Amino acid sequence: MMTTEYTSQEMMIFSNRLEVPRAAYQRRFRAKRARLIAEFFDERLANPLKVSFRDGRYRVFDGQHTMAARIMLNGGKHLPIKCIVYMGLTEQDEAALFAQQAGFSAPLTAGEYLRAQICAKEYESVAFQDVCNALDLQLDFDQKRGEFRIGCIKTAFEAYRRIGEEQFMEAMRILIAAWNGDPDSLCAANVSAITHFVELYHGEYDPHRLASKLSHVDPLTIYHEGQIAGASLRGYKKYLYQIYCIYNGSSKTNKLPLKF
């Protein structure tokens, strides 16, 4: 959502004056993509760069790979590039426009999109990040992997939106208690399985029992066993069933009913 009034005009700007705000909301530069654009570049189809003029600087919020391709085709030397320059945008506006870009741009990954939405101060995205921070979990926008890092951003965010803050935090605390932030424990299969389990059996199961049971199995067990069961169960249910079986074990007194 645009928060300010703005004006725009088409301009030719030397590429050495154009900045790419990767630290804030832009995606990582991919040299392979720039080379591919350069290989098939056609001036008749090329879109102008979209640029925000803010604080005396030109910031590219759409078209960084096209800019790099043009420089490649010019022998690595800077050159004038056609831009649509917007005046009056805030960084929040730029991030929102970046997240909404379409046309010939490569689709954003879930992490790239969410990071842009957070920079744009989109309420639900910011709230999701705040919840993860409260759990001492980092959103792994660039897929670097590591302890206490959520790489399956799309799965986690969809779960948060589906079951709400309280149950999402309950589910993630169980994963953390069971495996202490092990990177494998925060894979999409586990996040999907535990959030569906908490949603389905909320108020009926013992969170401490579940965390204890999970701590005695390898964090990739749910994924591997779910793949084996894939023929009889579909989608998230093949992973949910593994949580269900781990929780029940051989117990008769604490056994939960099968609801799915």
Side-chain angles (χ1 to χ4, degrees), residues 212-226:
S212 177
K213 288 279 190 178
L214 290 174
S215 70
H216 290 93
V217 300
D218 185 273
L220 288 177
T221 295
I222 293 168
Y223 172 77
H224 291 313
E225 294 299 320

Side-chain angles (χ1 to χ4, degrees), residues 172-181 185 210-217:
M172 300 310 291
R173 283 192 178 109
I174 290 170
L175 287 187
I176 294 169
W179 291 304
N180 197 33
S185 72
L210 179 55
S212 177
K213 288 279 190 178
L214 290 174
S215 70
H216 290 93
V217 300

Side-chain angles (χ1 to χ4, degrees), residues 154-164 167-172 174-175 187-205 210 222 234-244 256-257 259-260:
K154 181 179 180 180
T155 298
F157 190 34
E158 287 178 349
Y160 167 80
R161 298 177 71 180
R162 187 184 73 250
I163 66 179
Q167 290 189 22
F168 180 80
M169 293 185 78
E170 180 178 322
M172 300 310 291
I174 290 170
L175 287 187
C187 67
N190 288 356
V191 171
S192 177
I194 194 68
T195 53
H196 277 99
F197 182 91
V198 169
E199 179 183 21
L200 194 59
Y201 293 104
H202 190 253
E204 300 178 40
Y205 79 104
L210 179 55
I222 293 168
R234 296 186 179 278
Y236 72 86
K237 291 183 179 179
K238 61 188 178 183
Y239 305 122
L240 170 59
Y241 184 68
Q242 308 313 313
I243 293 272
Y244 171 80
L256 294 170
K259 293 184 177 182
F260 53 95

